[in-house]
Coordinates of all heavy atoms in Angstrom, one line a residue:
Chain A
Y32 N -26.0 -33.8 48.5 CA -25.2 -32.8 49.1 C -24.9 -33.3 50.5 O -25.8 -33.7 51.2 CB -25.8 -31.4 49.1 CG -26.0 -30.9 47.7 CD1 -26.9 -31.3 46.8 CD2 -25.1 -29.9 47.3 CE1 -27.1 -30.8 45.5 CE2 -25.3 -29.3 46.0 CZ -26.2 -29.8 45.1 OH -26.3 -29.3 43.9
F34 N -22.8 -33.1 54.3 CA -22.3 -32.1 55.3 C -21.8 -32.9 56.5 O -22.3 -33.9 56.9 CB -23.4 -31.2 55.7 CG -24.2 -30.5 54.6 CD1 -25.2 -31.2 53.9 CD2 -23.9 -29.2 54.3 CE1 -25.9 -30.6 52.9 CE2 -24.6 -28.6 53.2 CZ -25.6 -29.3 52.6
Y36 N -21.2 -31.6 60.5 CA -21.4 -30.5 61.5 C -20.8 -31.0 62.8 O -20.8 -32.2 63.1 CB -22.8 -30.2 61.8 CG -23.5 -29.3 60.7 CD1 -24.0 -29.8 59.6 CD2 -23.6 -27.9 60.9 CE1 -24.6 -29.0 58.6 CE2 -24.2 -27.1 60.0 CZ -24.7 -27.6 58.9 OH -25.3 -26.8 57.9
Q38 N -20.9 -30.2 67.1 CA -21.7 -29.6 68.2 C -20.9 -29.7 69.5 O -20.7 -30.8 70.0 CB -23.0 -30.2 68.3 CG -24.0 -29.5 69.2 CD -25.4 -30.1 69.2 OE1 -25.6 -31.3 69.1 NE2 -26.4 -29.3 69.4
N41 N -23.6 -27.2 74.8 CA -24.3 -26.0 75.0 C -24.1 -25.0 73.9 O -24.3 -23.8 74.1 CB -24.0 -25.3 76.4 CG -24.3 -26.2 77.5 OD1 -25.4 -26.8 77.6 ND2 -23.4 -26.4 78.4
Q42 N -23.8 -25.5 72.7 CA -23.6 -24.6 71.6 C -24.4 -25.2 70.4 O -24.8 -26.3 70.4 CB -22.1 -24.5 71.2 CG -21.3 -23.8 72.3 CD -19.9 -23.5 71.8 OE1 -19.6 -23.3 70.6 NE2 -18.9 -23.4 72.7
G43 N -24.6 -24.3 69.4 CA -25.3 -24.7 68.2 C -24.4 -25.5 67.3 O -23.1 -25.6 67.5
L44 N -24.9 -26.1 66.3 CA -24.1 -26.9 65.3 C -23.3 -25.9 64.5 O -23.8 -24.9 64.0 CB -25.0 -27.7 64.4 CG -25.5 -29.0 65.0 CD1 -26.6 -28.8 66.0 CD2 -26.0 -29.9 63.8
Q45 N -22.1 -26.3 64.2 CA -21.2 -25.5 63.4 C -20.8 -26.4 62.2 O -20.3 -27.5 62.3 CB -20.0 -25.1 64.2 CG -19.0 -24.3 63.4 CD -17.8 -23.9 64.3 OE1 -17.6 -24.4 65.4 NE2 -16.9 -23.1 63.7
L46 N -20.8 -25.8 61.0 CA -20.4 -26.5 59.8 C -18.9 -26.7 59.8 O -18.2 -25.8 59.9 CB -20.9 -25.7 58.6 CG -20.6 -26.4 57.2 CD1 -21.4 -27.7 57.1 CD2 -20.8 -25.5 56.1
K49 N -18.5 -29.3 53.6 CA -19.6 -29.8 52.9 C -19.2 -30.1 51.5 O -18.2 -29.6 50.9 CB -20.8 -28.7 52.8 CG -20.4 -27.5 52.0 CD -21.6 -26.5 52.0 CE -21.3 -25.2 51.3 NZ -22.5 -24.3 51.3
T51 N -20.7 -30.5 47.6 CA -21.8 -30.2 46.7 C -21.5 -30.9 45.4 O -22.2 -31.8 45.0 CB -22.1 -28.7 46.6 OG1 -20.9 -28.1 46.1 CG2 -22.5 -28.1 47.9
E88 N -19.6 -33.6 69.7 CA -20.5 -34.5 68.9 C -20.4 -34.1 67.5 O -20.5 -32.9 67.1 CB -21.9 -34.3 69.4 CG -22.9 -35.3 68.9 CD -23.1 -36.5 69.8 OE1 -22.8 -36.4 70.9 OE2 -23.6 -37.5 69.3
F90 N -22.0 -34.6 63.5 CA -23.1 -35.1 62.8 C -22.9 -35.0 61.3 O -22.4 -34.0 60.8 CB -24.4 -34.2 63.1 CG -24.8 -34.3 64.5 CD1 -24.4 -33.4 65.5 CD2 -25.7 -35.3 64.9 CE1 -24.9 -33.5 66.8 CE2 -26.2 -35.4 66.2 CZ -25.8 -34.5 67.1
S94 N -28.6 -33.9 52.0 CA -29.8 -33.2 51.6 C -29.9 -33.3 50.1 O -28.9 -33.5 49.4 CB -29.8 -31.7 52.0 OG -29.0 -31.0 51.1
P95 N -31.1 -33.2 49.5 CA -31.3 -33.2 48.1 C -30.8 -31.8 47.6 O -30.4 -31.0 48.4 CB -32.8 -33.3 47.9 CG -33.4 -32.8 49.2 CD -32.4 -33.2 50.2
D96 N -30.7 -31.5 46.4 CA -30.0 -30.3 45.9 C -30.7 -29.1 46.4 O -30.1 -28.0 46.3 CB -29.9 -30.4 44.4 CG -31.2 -30.5 43.7 OD1 -32.3 -30.6 44.4 OD2 -31.2 -30.6 42.5
N97 N -31.9 -29.1 46.9 CA -32.5 -27.9 47.3 C -32.3 -27.5 48.8 O -32.6 -26.5 49.2 CB -34.0 -27.9 47.1 CG -34.7 -29.0 47.9 OD1 -34.1 -29.6 48.7 ND2 -36.0 -29.2 47.7
N98 N -31.6 -28.4 49.5 CA -31.1 -28.1 50.8 C -32.3 -27.8 51.8 O -32.1 -27.1 52.8 CB -30.1 -27.0 50.8 CG -29.3 -26.9 52.1 OD1 -29.1 -27.9 52.8 ND2 -28.8 -25.8 52.4
N99 N -33.5 -28.2 51.5 CA -34.6 -27.8 52.3 C -35.0 -28.9 53.2 O -36.0 -28.7 54.0 CB -35.8 -27.3 51.5 CG -35.5 -26.1 50.7 OD1 -34.7 -25.3 51.1 ND2 -36.1 -26.0 49.5
D100 N -34.5 -30.0 53.1 CA -34.9 -31.2 53.9 C -33.6 -32.0 54.3 O -33.4 -33.1 53.8 CB -35.8 -32.1 53.2 CG -36.4 -33.2 54.0 OD1 -36.2 -33.2 55.2 OD2 -37.1 -34.1 53.5
M101 N -32.8 -31.3 55.1 CA -31.6 -31.9 55.5 C -31.8 -33.1 56.5 O -32.5 -32.9 57.5 CB -30.6 -30.9 56.1 CG -29.2 -31.4 56.4 SD -28.2 -30.0 57.0 CE -28.0 -29.0 55.6
R102 N -31.3 -34.2 56.3 CA -31.4 -35.4 57.1 C -30.1 -35.6 57.8 O -29.0 -35.8 57.2 CB -31.8 -36.6 56.3 CG -33.1 -36.5 55.6 CD -34.3 -36.3 56.5 NE -35.5 -36.1 55.8 CZ -36.4 -37.0 55.4 NH1 -36.1 -38.2 55.8 NH2 -37.5 -36.7 54.8
F103 N -30.1 -35.7 59.2 CA -28.9 -35.9 60.0 C -28.8 -37.3 60.4 O -29.8 -38.0 60.7 CB -29.0 -34.9 61.2 CG -28.7 -33.5 60.9 CD1 -29.7 -32.7 60.5 CD2 -27.5 -33.0 61.1 CE1 -29.5 -31.3 60.2 CE2 -27.2 -31.6 60.9 CZ -28.2 -30.8 60.4
G104 N -27.6 -37.7 60.6 CA -27.3 -39.0 61.3 C -27.5 -38.8 62.8 O -27.8 -37.7 63.3
A105 N -27.4 -39.9 63.5 CA -27.6 -39.8 65.0 C -26.5 -39.2 65.8 O -26.6 -39.0 66.9 CB -27.9 -41.2 65.5
G106 N -25.4 -39.0 65.1 CA -24.2 -38.4 65.7 C -23.2 -39.4 66.2 O -23.5 -40.5 66.6
Chain B
R9 N -33.5 -19.9 76.2 CA -32.6 -21.0 76.1 C -33.1 -22.3 76.7 O -32.8 -23.4 76.3 CB -31.2 -20.7 76.7 CG -30.5 -19.6 75.9 CD -30.0 -20.0 74.5 NE -29.2 -21.2 74.6 CZ -27.9 -21.3 74.8 NH1 -27.3 -20.1 75.0 NH2 -27.3 -22.4 74.8
H10 N -33.8 -22.1 77.8 CA -34.4 -23.2 78.5 C -35.9 -22.9 78.8 O -36.2 -21.7 79.2 CB -33.7 -23.6 79.8 CG -32.2 -23.8 79.6 ND1 -31.7 -25.1 79.3 CD2 -31.2 -23.0 79.6 CE1 -30.4 -25.0 79.2 NE2 -30.0 -23.8 79.4
R31 N -33.6 -17.4 54.4 CA -34.1 -18.7 54.7 C -34.0 -19.0 56.2 O -33.0 -18.6 56.9 CB -33.4 -19.8 54.0 CG -33.6 -19.7 52.5 CD -33.0 -20.8 51.7 NE -33.3 -20.8 50.3 CZ -33.3 -21.8 49.5 NH1 -32.9 -23.0 50.0 NH2 -33.7 -21.7 48.3
Y33 N -35.0 -22.1 59.2 CA -35.3 -23.5 59.4 C -35.5 -23.8 60.9 O -34.8 -23.3 61.7 CB -34.2 -24.5 58.9 CG -33.7 -24.2 57.5 CD1 -32.8 -23.2 57.2 CD2 -34.1 -25.0 56.4 CE1 -32.3 -23.0 55.9 CE2 -33.6 -24.8 55.1 CZ -32.8 -23.8 54.9 OH -32.3 -23.6 53.6
Y35 N -35.6 -27.2 63.6 CA -35.4 -28.6 63.8 C -35.7 -29.0 65.2 O -35.7 -28.1 66.1 CB -33.9 -28.9 63.5 CG -33.4 -28.7 62.1 CD1 -33.0 -27.5 61.6 CD2 -33.3 -29.8 61.3 CE1 -32.5 -27.3 60.3 CE2 -32.8 -29.7 59.9 CZ -32.4 -28.4 59.5 OH -32.0 -28.3 58.2
Q37 N -34.3 -31.8 68.1 CA -33.3 -32.7 68.5 C -33.6 -33.4 69.8 O -33.6 -32.7 70.8 CB -31.9 -32.1 68.5 CG -30.7 -33.0 68.7 CD -29.4 -32.4 68.7 OE1 -29.3 -31.1 68.8 NE2 -28.3 -33.1 68.5
G40 N -29.6 -38.1 72.1 CA -28.9 -39.2 71.4 C -29.3 -39.3 69.9 O -28.9 -40.2 69.2
Q41 N -29.9 -38.2 69.4 CA -30.3 -38.2 68.0 C -29.8 -37.0 67.3 O -29.5 -36.0 68.0 CB -31.8 -38.3 67.9 CG -32.4 -39.6 68.4 CD -31.9 -40.8 67.7 OE1 -31.8 -40.9 66.5 NE2 -31.6 -41.9 68.4
G42 N -29.8 -37.1 66.0 CA -29.5 -35.9 65.3 C -30.7 -35.0 65.1 O -31.8 -35.4 65.3
P43 N -30.5 -33.8 64.7 CA -31.6 -32.9 64.4 C -32.6 -33.5 63.4 O -32.2 -34.1 62.4 CB -31.0 -31.6 63.9 CG -29.6 -31.6 64.4 CD -29.2 -33.1 64.4
E44 N -33.9 -33.2 63.6 CA -34.9 -33.6 62.6 C -35.6 -32.4 62.1 O -36.0 -31.5 62.9 CB -36.0 -34.5 63.3 CG -35.4 -35.8 63.9 CD -36.5 -36.5 64.7 OE1 -36.8 -36.0 65.8 OE2 -36.9 -37.6 64.3
F45 N -35.7 -32.3 60.8 CA -36.3 -31.2 60.1 C -37.8 -31.0 60.5 O -38.5 -32.0 60.5 CB -36.1 -31.3 58.6 CG -36.9 -30.3 57.8 CD1 -36.4 -29.1 57.6 CD2 -38.1 -30.7 57.2 CE1 -37.1 -28.1 56.8 CE2 -38.8 -29.8 56.4 CZ -38.3 -28.5 56.2
Y48 N -39.6 -24.9 57.3 CA -38.7 -24.0 56.6 C -39.4 -22.9 56.0 O -40.5 -23.0 55.5 CB -37.9 -24.9 55.5 CG -37.6 -24.2 54.2 CD1 -36.6 -23.3 54.2 CD2 -38.2 -24.5 53.1 CE1 -36.2 -22.6 53.0 CE2 -37.9 -23.9 51.9 CZ -36.9 -23.0 51.8 OH -36.5 -22.4 50.7
E56 N -42.3 -25.5 53.5 CA -42.3 -27.0 53.7 C -42.5 -27.3 55.2 O -42.0 -26.6 56.0 CB -41.0 -27.5 53.2 CG -40.9 -29.1 53.1 CD -39.7 -29.5 52.3 OE1 -39.1 -28.8 51.6 OE2 -39.4 -30.7 52.5
R59 N -43.8 -34.1 58.4 CA -45.0 -34.8 59.0 C -44.8 -34.8 60.5 O -45.8 -35.1 61.3 CB -45.1 -36.2 58.5 CG -43.9 -37.1 58.9 CD -44.0 -38.5 58.2 NE -43.0 -39.3 58.7 CZ -41.8 -39.3 58.2 NH1 -41.4 -38.5 57.3 NH2 -40.9 -40.2 58.7
L91 N -34.0 -26.4 67.5 CA -33.0 -25.7 66.9 C -33.5 -24.8 65.8 O -34.4 -25.3 65.0 CB -31.9 -26.6 66.4 CG -31.2 -27.5 67.4 CD1 -30.4 -28.6 66.6 CD2 -30.3 -26.7 68.3
S98 N -29.3 -19.5 47.4 CA -29.9 -20.7 46.8 C -29.6 -21.9 47.6 O -29.0 -21.9 48.7 CB -29.3 -20.8 45.4 OG -27.9 -21.0 45.4
G99 N -30.0 -23.1 47.0 CA -30.2 -24.3 47.8 C -29.0 -24.8 48.5 O -29.1 -25.5 49.5
T100 N -27.8 -24.6 48.0 CA -26.6 -25.2 48.6 C -26.0 -24.3 49.6 O -24.8 -24.5 50.0 CB -25.6 -25.5 47.5 OG1 -25.2 -24.3 46.9 CG2 -26.1 -26.5 46.5
D101 N -26.7 -23.3 50.1 CA -26.1 -22.4 51.0 C -25.9 -23.1 52.4 O -26.6 -24.0 52.7 CB -26.9 -21.1 51.2 CG -28.3 -21.4 51.8 OD1 -29.1 -22.0 51.2 OD2 -28.4 -21.0 53.0
T102 N -25.0 -22.6 53.2 CA -24.7 -23.1 54.5 C -25.9 -22.7 55.4 O -26.3 -21.6 55.4 CB -23.4 -22.6 55.0 OG1 -22.4 -23.1 54.1 CG2 -23.1 -23.1 56.4
Q103 N -26.3 -23.6 56.3 CA -27.2 -23.3 57.4 C -26.4 -23.0 58.6 O -25.6 -23.8 59.0 CB -28.2 -24.5 57.6 CG -29.1 -24.7 56.4 CD -30.1 -25.8 56.7 OE1 -30.5 -26.0 57.9 NE2 -30.7 -26.4 55.7
Y104 N -26.7 -21.9 59.2 CA -26.1 -21.4 60.5 C -27.0 -21.7 61.6 O -28.2 -21.1 61.6 CB -25.6 -20.0 60.4 CG -24.6 -19.7 59.3 CD1 -24.9 -19.5 58.0 CD2 -23.2 -19.7 59.7 CE1 -24.0 -19.2 57.1 CE2 -22.3 -19.5 58.7 CZ -22.6 -19.3 57.4 OH -21.7 -19.0 56.4
F105 N -26.6 -22.4 62.6 CA -27.5 -22.8 63.6 C -27.4 -21.9 64.9 O -26.3 -21.5 65.2 CB -27.2 -24.3 64.1 CG -27.7 -25.3 63.1 CD1 -27.1 -25.6 61.9 CD2 -28.9 -26.0 63.4 CE1 -27.6 -26.6 61.1 CE2 -29.4 -26.9 62.6 CZ -28.8 -27.2 61.4
G106 N -28.5 -21.8 65.5 CA -28.5 -21.1 66.8 C -28.2 -22.1 67.9 O -28.1 -23.3 67.7
P107 N -28.1 -21.7 69.2 CA -27.8 -22.6 70.3 C -28.9 -23.4 70.7 O -28.7 -24.4 71.5 CB -27.4 -21.6 71.4 CG -28.2 -20.4 71.1 CD -28.3 -20.3 69.6
G108 N -30.1 -23.2 70.3 CA -31.3 -24.0 70.6 C -32.0 -23.6 71.9 O -31.5 -22.8 72.7

Side-chain angles (χ1 to χ4, degrees):
Chain A
Y32 291 75
F34 308 79
Y36 281 85
Q38 187 175 33
N41 300 315
Q42 294 187 29
L44 279 76
Q45 180 183 5
L46 181 68
K49 65 180 180 182
T51 54
E88 187 95 19
F90 294 94
S94 81
D96 55 2
N97 63 5
N98 199 27
N99 297 330
D100 187 7
M101 188 177 290
R102 302 295 178 95
F103 286 82
Chain B
R9 293 291 307 276
H10 303 273
R31 296 186 172 202
Y33 307 81
Y35 293 84
Q37 185 178 18
Q41 298 297 319
E44 297 172 293
F45 171 80
Y48 146 72
E56 191 167 340
R59 66 183 186 281
L91 299 171
S98 61
T100 60
D101 67 291
T102 297
Q103 293 186 26
Y104 296 86
F105 282 80

